[in-house]
Amino acid sequence: MNEQHGASWATAIQATLHCLTGCAIGEVLGMVLGTAFGLHNAATVVLSIVLAFVFGYGLTMRGVLKSGLGAAAAFKVALAADTVSIAVMELIDNTVVVAIPGAMNAGLASFLFWLSLAISLAIAFVVTVPVNKWMIGRGLGHAKVHAHHQHH
């Protein structure tokens, strides 16, 4: 395979871990809130997805804003950098949680609730890494962020 225009697996993993952080915060918060307030499963999933995008974009914007970019420009960078990655991650992790029998109705004190959430995020991470690798290798996705902030 020709790797000269591609991204490294390490870069793809780093970008996906960044995405996973925002997705996991939003996903867990959405599932916890939906479960705690007794929302219908569909409403809980929608809340989780919305919060995953909010936190995913927010974390990217936080880093980009530090570079001196204004809020509107930083939001555009976050949209370009994270939309596909978050969408893939959310599609996979919500599909997995919904597919695990009893997980959506398990309740916050249930081991099944937390195990299914952890499994769903792990599977979503594994599926999203190659997507990010492909996108970064083409100057898309998280590659848009690298011009605007330093990585440690």
Side-chain angles (χ1 to χ4, degrees), residues 72-120:
F75 184 65
K76 288 179 184 175
V77 170
L79 284 177
D82 293 338
T83 299
V84 172
S85 184
I86 294 171
V88 170
M89 194 161 282
E90 286 304 296
L91 174 68
I92 301 302
D93 77 40
N94 282 288
T95 300
V96 171
V97 167
V98 169
I100 295 173
M104 289 296 296
N105 298 318
L108 299 178
S110 166
F111 178 72
L112 176 62
F113 175 86
W114 295 104
L115 179 64
S116 64
L117 207 47
I119 289 169
S120 72

Side-chain angles (χ1 to χ4, degrees), residues 18-19 52-65 69-87 135 140-146 148-149:
H18 179 267
C19 177
F53 275 95
V54 168
F55 281 95
Y57 290 148
L59 288 177
T60 295
M61 285 182 64
R62 188 177 130 246
V64 173
L65 286 167
L69 226 56
F75 184 65
K76 288 179 184 175
V77 170
L79 284 177
D82 293 338
T83 299
V84 172
S85 184
I86 294 171
M135 289 180 58
L140 304 170
H142 202 74
K144 302 286 186 189
V145 174
H146 287 270
H148 298 287
H149 71 85

Side-chain angles (χ1 to χ4, degrees), residues 2-29:
N2 183 356
E3 287 291 327
Q4 73 183 43
H5 291 47
S8 71
W9 283 106
T11 299
I13 288 168
Q14 181 182 10
T16 307
L17 283 171
H18 179 267
C19 177
L20 179 67
T21 303
C23 285
I25 292 167
E27 185 72 25
V28 171
L29 184 60

Side-chain angles (χ1 to χ4, degrees), residues 34-54:
T35 301
F37 291 121
L39 298 181
H40 186 275
N41 289 348
T44 300
V45 168
V46 169
L47 178 61
S48 293
I49 292 169
V50 168
L51 290 175
F53 275 95
V54 168

